[in-house]
């Protein structure tokens, strides 16, 4: 956990993951739940970004910068989580101890 990332960050993320896990139990389709979660995150980030501007033109001018930022952030987080799942595959995926 980095200095800028406090426990509340992980608690919020875990709440979203818990909801996704509940949805998986109901529809048993990992891909559909993942797609909905990704869409929700992108929709929220678009809304949050739009609130930072006074006009549509300002938002449009920042579009590429916003896309680059969010794509870089997602890639960094996905890389970290994939590396963690590779390292702890037996425990995370197979349910076996380290």
């Amino acid at each position: 956990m980095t200095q800028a990332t406090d426990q509340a960050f992980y608690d919020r993320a875990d709440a979203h993951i818990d909801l996704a896990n509940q949805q998986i139990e109901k529809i048993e389709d990992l891909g559909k739940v993942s797609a909905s979660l990704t869409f929700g995150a992108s929709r929220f980030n678009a809304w949050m970004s739009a609130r930072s501007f006074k006009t549509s033109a300002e938002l449009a001018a920042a579009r590429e910068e916003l896309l680059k930022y969010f794509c870089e952030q997602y890639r960094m987080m996905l890389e970290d989580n994939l590396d963690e799942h590779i390292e702890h595959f037996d425990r995370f995926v197979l349910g076996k101890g380290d």
Side-chain angles (χ1 to χ4, degrees):
M1 186 164 32
T2 64
Q3 186 177 14
T5 306
D6 60 10
Q7 186 58 45
F9 170 90
Y10 292 103
D11 292 344
R12 287 187 303 273
D14 286 344
H16 294 289
I17 293 167
D18 288 344
L19 176 60
N21 287 335
Q22 291 170 22
Q23 292 175 348
I24 289 168
E25 290 174 9
K26 292 177 185 171
I27 68 167
E28 298 180 356
D29 189 328
L30 294 169
K32 287 181 179 179
V33 173
S34 176
S36 296
L37 185 61
T38 303
F39 178 81
S42 69
R43 185 147 180 103
F44 179 83
N45 287 330
W47 173 79
M48 180 200 65
S49 297
R51 289 181 48 113
S52 301
F53 297 92
K54 292 183 173 135
T55 67
S56 170
E58 288 178 2
L59 176 60
R63 184 179 186 275
E64 289 305 314
E65 183 180 341
L66 290 164
L67 286 168
K68 181 180 178 195
Y69 171 78
F70 283 111
C71 288
E72 286 174 353
Q73 290 297 303
Y74 183 81
R75 182 178 180 99
M76 181 182 66
M77 292 177 195
L78 182 59
E79 286 176 345
D80 288 347
N81 281 292
L82 282 172
D83 290 346
E84 186 176 13
H85 278 72
I86 290 166
E87 183 178 344
H88 301 285
F89 186 86
D90 286 350
R91 182 170 51 132
F92 288 178
V93 178
L94 304 177
K96 300 177 182 178
D98 274 332

